[in-house]
């Protein structure tokens, strides 16, 4: 018998509240990753599965650099660069070798598993203690981590707002929206795609580097299912943003809601853990959440535009 | 101005769908020519335009624009010489971007795009004036997403984008075919106006014989991947649809097969 139904008497509301700051901090760390997913999935219209690998690459790179005596801040920058390299690999597989988008991402992701094992010197897990190193963020200092991450995300959003307002940013947006039009306007769509993949995976790698510091270790499996969490954040943020502000939301607003989506996702995860669901069921839960949010717009359209409705004279 | 020299293109070589789309096309345009291209279904009209634009590499022959051999250049590099408007109003614009952003994209055709602003304040003022001239009220909707415009509005915008930076050659690929008759004639009117105003060299594919006769200074008819008729000057001015049909049968030895062309 699965004991999904909790024993209500055991549930302690105070415990849920105590978990809230931790979930918020984790949501903010993953928000950086979700913003990366937003760039490929929403702006470039490219379902990039590299992220499961590049997230762990970022974590591995950061932790190994810290262990070898580099500053945690430098480690985050290096994690970003490592992620960018992963994005470049996927971009080249797709544009130079003509491999379809999803498959190029999967190939990179699989290859990165081996790369990540090499970075971590053959061990699947490497710990980095906040007692020994001055880490950028840590679950031992949750409030400070929340503040740091909030500032960090504000800076990232500001930079992205600037970048997607530049001529180069325009080429990525046009390529994602209408590649035929982009080429007719003299845009090299291959370069635009590679640039977007580099940028996106740079953010994902950075998020991996931050996440490893936050949890105090880097694990070769830490990115497994990252794409689903990223998508969940993007979609929750979008649905929420449209519900509150309609279609009028500008670019900064949309990015803010992606970050909000990530935080909400981790609140819900916290709620579920609090209800007593085993943590091994979280992946199943994440998949269901994403499936529901992806399906809702489609089903809404179906309801508005169905044969059954037509047969009843449009009522 | 434009030289198409013995161009061949076959699609799906070695399959049952093999199609000899272009069979040695020769065509030379003079500066300021406005040529209408007509022909039956599958005659190669749009294929010629795509060969000029470099949508795919041709099998043999050469394409020269203003003396520059562009045969070896990919589509995005040729874009700096060309303005293009497509049959499907969705093709020419980026739906999720604003009207003014689409114009800004077009204004940078043929320039390297770096980290300067994608659109400047000065441009906005300039685009407002240009949109005013279209008389569609778009100047009040500069920051509207193009996806919210009607097909006719999108085609008019695409035309403006195609000619924002004076192209050496304007390619119109059945750009009114997807529009209702009233909108189509409005878009054609705008096309004429822009071509005349900027003294552009243009190639307009159409399936409508009447339009082909009424517009431009030269008419080219294609069949089976070749140019079979080239009528210009006084002769073109006197042309009627009946003349064209007769001439087609005379040259090709078959009947003109395009319901759309006859009914349109």
């Amino acid at each position: 018998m699965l004991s999904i139904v909790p024993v209500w008497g055991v549930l302690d509301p105070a415990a849920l509240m105590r978990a809230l700051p931790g979930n918020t901090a984790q949501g903010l760390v993953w928000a950086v990753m979700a913003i990366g997913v937003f760039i490929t999935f929403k702006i470039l219209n490219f379902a990039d599965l590299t992220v499961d690998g590049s997230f762990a690459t970022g974590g591995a790179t950061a932790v190994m650099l810290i262990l070898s005596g580099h500053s945690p801040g430098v480690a985050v920058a290096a994690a970003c660069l490592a992620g960018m390299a992963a994005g470049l690999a996927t971009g080249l597989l797709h544009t130079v070798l003509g491999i379809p988008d999803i498959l190029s991402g999967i190939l990179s992701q699989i290859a990165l598993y081996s790369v990540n094992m090499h970075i971590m010197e053959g061990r699947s897990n490497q710990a980095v203690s906040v007692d020994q190193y001055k880490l950028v963020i840590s679950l031992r200092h949750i409030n400070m981590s929340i503040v740091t991450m909030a500032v960090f995300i504000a800076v990232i959003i500001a930079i992205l707002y600037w970048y997607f307002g530049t001529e180069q940013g325009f080429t990525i947006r046009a390529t994602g929206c209408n590649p035929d039009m982009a080429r007719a306007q003299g845009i090299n769509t291959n370069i635009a795609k590679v640039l977007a993949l580099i940028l996106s995976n740079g953010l994902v790698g950075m998020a991996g580097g931050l996440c490893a510091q936050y949890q105090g270790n880097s694990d070769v499996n830490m990115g497994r299912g990252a794409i689903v969490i990223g998508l969940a954040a993007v979609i929750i943020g979008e649905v929420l943003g449209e519900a509150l502000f309609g279609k009028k939301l500008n670019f900064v607003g949309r990015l803010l809601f992606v970050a909000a989506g990530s935080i909400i996702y981790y609140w819900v995860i916290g709620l579920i853990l609090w209800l007593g669901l085993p943590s091994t069921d979280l992946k199943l839960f994440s998949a269901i959440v994403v499936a529901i949010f992806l399906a809702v717009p489609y089903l809404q359209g179906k309801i508005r535009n169905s044969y059954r409705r037509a047969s009843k004279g449009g009522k | 101005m434009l030289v198409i020299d013995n161009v061949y293109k076959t699609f799906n070589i070695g399959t049952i769908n093999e199609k000899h789309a272009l069979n040695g096309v020769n065509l030379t345009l003079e500066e300021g020519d406005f040529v209408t291209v007509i022909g039956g279904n599958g005659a190669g009209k749009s294929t010629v335009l795509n060969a000029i634009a470099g949508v795919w590499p041709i099998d043999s022959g050469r394409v020269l624009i203003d003396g520059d051999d562009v045969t070896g250049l990919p589509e995005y590099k040729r874009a700096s010489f060309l303005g293009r408007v497509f049959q499907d109003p969705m093709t020419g614009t980026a739906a999720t971007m604003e009207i003014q952003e689409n114009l800004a994209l077009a204004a940078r055709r043929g320039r390297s795009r770096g980290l300067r602003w994608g659109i400047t304040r000065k441009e906005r003022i300039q685009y407002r004036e240009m949109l005013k001239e279209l008389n569609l009220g778009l100047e009040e909707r500069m920051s509207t997403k193009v996806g919210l415009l009607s097909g006719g509005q999108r085609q008019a915008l695409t035309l403006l984008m195609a000619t924002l930076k004076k192209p050496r050659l304007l390619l119109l690929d059945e750009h009114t075919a997807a529009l209702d008759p009233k909108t189509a004639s409005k878009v054609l009117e705008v096309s004429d106006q822009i071509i005349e105003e900027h003294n552009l060299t243009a190639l307009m594919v159409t399936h409508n014989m009447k339009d082909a006769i009424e517009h431009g200074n030269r008419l080219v008819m294609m069949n089976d991947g070749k140019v079979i008729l080239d009528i210009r000057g006084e002769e073109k001015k006197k042309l009627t649809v009946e003349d064209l049909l007769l001439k087609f049968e005379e040259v090709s030895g078959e009947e003109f097969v395009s319901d759309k062309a006859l009914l349109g």
Side-chain angles (χ1 to χ4, degrees):
Chain A
M1 264 298 280
L2 280 168
S3 60
I4 292 176
V5 181
V7 188
W8 288 100
V10 178
L11 289 179
D12 172 16
L16 183 64
M17 291 316 290
R18 276 199 301 278
L20 203 59
N23 294 326
T24 307
Q26 200 160 13
L28 282 166
V29 171
W30 281 81
V32 176
M33 190 269 174
I35 289 171
V37 170
F38 179 86
I39 291 170
T40 45
F41 187 67
K42 279 288 167 188
I43 300 180
L44 189 62
N45 195 19
F46 186 113
D48 178 29
L49 300 186
T50 316
V51 296
D52 282 25
S54 54
F55 188 79
T57 306
T61 306
V63 167
M64 294 316 284
L65 280 176
I66 294 170
L67 291 180
S68 67
H70 293 83
S71 93
V74 170
V76 172
C80 176
L81 289 176
M84 289 169 111
L88 175 66
T90 304
L92 294 180
L93 285 172
H94 178 62
T95 57
V96 178
L97 303 180
I99 298 169
D101 54 357
I102 291 191
L103 214 48
S104 354
I106 291 177
L107 289 175
S108 289
Q109 182 196 119
I110 293 298
L112 283 171
Y113 179 87
S114 305
V115 173
N116 296 342
M117 285 301 286
H118 275 292
I119 296 175
M120 293 200 290
E121 291 168 355
R123 287 170 56 186
S124 62
N125 192 296
Q126 290 275 10
V128 57
S129 164
V130 69
D131 297 325
Q132 273 174 285
Y133 304 96
K134 245 179 110 33
L135 299 183
V136 179
I137 51 171
S138 167
L139 48 74
R140 293 261 298 280
H141 310 288
I142 286 177
N143 289 340
M144 200 53 223
S145 298
I146 290 176
V147 174
T148 309
M149 283 311 301
V151 172
F152 203 75
I153 288 170
V155 171
I156 288 174
I157 290 179
I159 292 173
L160 290 179
Y161 175 70
W162 163 76
Y163 181 72
F164 282 103
T166 66
E167 295 175 341
Q168 210 174 73
F170 270 43
T171 68
I172 294 174
R173 293 168 60 198
T175 301
C177 174
N178 185 347
D180 289 328
M181 175 270 192
R183 278 188 294 270
Q185 299 303 340
I187 292 168
N188 185 337
T189 49
N190 282 343
I191 288 184
K193 283 180 185 175
V194 173
L195 281 174
L197 284 165
I198 289 176
L199 181 62
S200 162
N201 281 287
L203 287 172
V204 173
M206 193 188 283
L210 288 164
C211 183
Q213 297 193 37
Y214 181 74
Q215 66 191 25
N217 70 78
S218 146
D219 191 293
V220 76
N221 287 318
M222 69 192 278
R224 179 169 290 173
I227 180 70
V228 179
I229 298 175
L231 283 179
V234 168
I235 296 161
I236 293 171
E238 185 166 55
V239 170
L240 196 68
E242 273 183 20
L244 294 177
F245 292 98
K247 297 260 180 202
K248 272 180 260 164
L249 215 54
N250 68 7
F251 188 69
V252 170
R254 289 173 77 192
L255 290 181
L256 284 172
F257 269 100
V258 170
S262 175
I263 295 168
I264 291 168
Y265 175 84
Y266 274 97
W267 282 351
V268 176
I269 293 288
L271 183 72
I272 285 174
L273 288 175
W274 176 73
L275 286 173
L277 207 71
S279 60
T280 45
D281 284 351
L282 286 179
K283 301 260 189 236
L284 174 66
F285 167 75
S286 308
I288 291 172
V289 167
V290 173
I292 290 172
F293 275 95
L294 282 176
V296 163
Y298 172 78
L299 293 177
Q300 274 176 342
K302 274 283 210 193
I303 291 165
R304 261 183 258 117
N305 197 10
S306 76
Y307 290 106
R308 186 184 294 183
R309 186 161 176 265
S311 74
K312 289 177 186 162
K315 276 173 208 159
Chain B
M1 175 67 233
L2 170 76
V3 178
I4 302 173
D5 178 19
N6 210 21
V7 167
Y8 284 82
K9 179 71 187 180
T10 305
F11 292 109
N12 306 315
I13 295 174
T15 73
I16 49 165
N17 292 321
E18 187 168 290
K19 164 94 181 139
H20 298 279
L22 299 179
N23 283 314
V25 176
N26 285 295
L27 183 66
T28 303
L29 264 63
E30 305 301 330
E31 184 85 46
D33 264 354
F34 178 6
V35 180
T36 56
V37 184
I38 194 149
N41 302 332
K45 312 181 293 282
S46 294
T47 316
V48 166
L49 255 55
N50 286 338
I52 298 168
V55 176
W56 22 252
I58 54 178
D59 296 339
S60 65
R62 286 190 320 154
V63 178
L64 279 78
I65 300 174
D66 236 357
D68 291 322
D69 190 337
V70 299
T71 317
L73 295 183
E75 185 178 9
Y76 75 91
K77 281 195 180 155
R78 295 188 202 188
S80 55
F81 307 130
L82 303 171
R84 290 163 72 194
V85 186
F86 310 88
Q87 175 170 0
D88 182 354
M90 303 299 158
T91 312
T93 45
T96 57
M97 296 177 77
E98 298 170 359
I99 292 177
Q100 54 188 5
E101 290 175 338
N102 271 272
L103 287 165
L105 278 170
R108 285 158 180 76
R109 203 165 51 225
R111 272 185 23 203
S112 71
R113 299 173 207 237
L115 298 177
R116 287 180 302 260
W117 289 114
I119 179 167
T120 62
R121 191 169 301 159
K122 215 175 102 200
E123 283 178 84
R124 283 177 226 265
I125 298 164
Q126 191 189 339
Y127 297 155
R128 182 179 293 274
E129 291 307 312
M130 290 175 166
L131 287 167
K132 242 183 221 161
E133 284 175 35
L134 283 182
N135 259 330
L136 294 169
L138 295 181
E139 67 275 11
E140 299 304 326
R141 304 171 65 190
M142 299 258 292
S143 54
T144 300
K145 300 264 191 296
V146 170
L148 298 172
L149 303 185
S150 70
Q153 288 171 328
R154 283 181 81 155
Q155 285 307 66
L157 178 63
T158 311
L159 250 172
L160 187 57
M161 287 164 61
T163 52
L164 191 59
K165 237 189 105 227
K166 187 180 172 184
R168 294 193 196 172
L169 179 64
L170 178 64
L171 302 176
L172 307 171
D173 187 1
E174 298 205 39
H175 68 307
T176 60
L179 308 175
D180 65 81
K182 206 176 144 207
T183 315
S185 74
K186 168 80 186 162
V187 169
L188 267 177
E189 192 186 303
V190 174
S191 313
D192 272 343
Q193 182 191 324
I194 289 180
I195 290 169
E196 196 171 334
E197 193 178 312
H198 300 282
N199 194 24
L200 298 173
T201 311
L203 207 51
M204 178 172 94
V205 169
T206 173
H207 59 248
N208 187 315
M209 291 201 170
K210 223 169 110 266
D211 288 343
I213 291 167
E214 282 172 10
H215 299 268
N217 65 329
R218 220 174 126 186
L219 184 148
V220 160
M221 187 181 257
M222 290 190 68
N223 189 45
D224 205 16
K226 277 195 281 271
V227 173
I228 57 167
L229 262 180
D230 188 347
I231 303 165
R232 54 184 104 187
E234 284 305 308
E235 194 188 350
K236 174 169 183 294
K237 282 183 191 151
K238 284 183 257 157
L239 213 57
T240 64
V241 173
E242 287 73 28
D243 291 343
L244 262 183
L245 286 172
L246 271 175
K247 279 194 192 288
F248 179 83
E249 282 169 36
E250 217 176 272
V251 180
S252 70
E254 44 192 298
E255 276 197 43
F256 193 89
V257 275
S258 172
D259 294 342
K260 277 205 282 183
L262 297 180
L263 298 171

